[in-house]
Amino acid sequence: MSEETDFFRLIGAIGGKAALFSAAGNVARKAVNEIVRAQLVAEGTGLEGVRQIRALLGPAAFAEALDGVPAPKAKALLARVDPHGPALAQPGDRIKALLALADASRAPSALPEKPAKKAASKKAAPVPKEPAAEAPAPRKRKITGRAALRVNEER
């Protein structure tokens, strides 16, 4: 076939005459799942695209296609459609979250609010010390170690 062939039109034509292609039912199911998976993991597919695909396929066919998405790609898809959502460790939890987002039973998580800055504690302003009438006497240094031995020997 030439590069100009519209394969989606051909798939639609085959779907219109499904009885003529009854032996290829399982192949058609696999092809649909692969097409849907390719679109789901595509970089430009966002939440609205996921919801439109689910609406087109129906819940069962969408769930079947989504279930076949590899775990790393499902993680990337979830991060793309719900960037502020919780990080889910289990692949099954990610699929459940994607299904809930797709059927709009769960909204994407909002941007987490930054914690409010604590008010600076109001410390009492340091009270300026009044200058002492006399300067304190310098402290005597305690001599230890070798220096102490020399001092004792000199005495």
Side-chain angles (χ1 to χ4, degrees):
M1 294 188 166
S2 71
E3 292 180 23
E4 298 173 10
T5 303
D6 183 3
F7 291 103
F8 289 109
R9 183 184 57 78
L10 293 175
I11 290 172
I14 291 171
K17 302 285 184 180
L20 182 62
F21 297 95
S22 62
N26 195 35
V27 174
R29 181 185 59 79
K30 289 179 183 177
V32 167
N33 285 340
E34 285 302 313
I35 291 169
V36 171
R37 288 178 193 137
Q39 185 59 44
L40 288 174
V41 300
E43 192 64 34
T45 302
L47 180 59
E48 190 56 37
V50 170
R51 287 181 174 167
Q52 289 176 359
I53 292 170
R54 184 192 177 276
L56 178 69
L57 297 178
F62 179 76
E64 181 183 346
L66 186 61
D67 192 43
V69 174
K73 293 189 179 195
K75 182 178 181 179
L77 175 62
L78 183 59
R80 190 169 51 246
V81 298
D82 191 9
H84 306 296
L88 301 171
Q90 298 300 317
D93 294 338
R94 292 183 198 130
I95 297 297
K96 288 177 187 174
L98 285 166
L99 288 171
L101 287 165
D103 69 5
S105 64
R106 178 181 149 212
S109 302
L111 178 65
E113 293 182 19
K114 294 182 180 178
K117 292 184 178 179
K118 294 182 180 179
S121 61
K122 296 180 181 179
K123 296 181 180 177
V127 178
K129 296 181 181 181
E130 295 179 17
E134 298 177 19
R139 290 178 44 181
K140 290 189 175 182
R141 210 173 93 199
K142 183 174 183 180
I143 301 174
T144 60
R146 290 186 182 173
L149 291 175
R150 263 193 311 242
V151 170
N152 285 341
E153 288 173 1
E154 292 175 359
R155 286 189 191 173

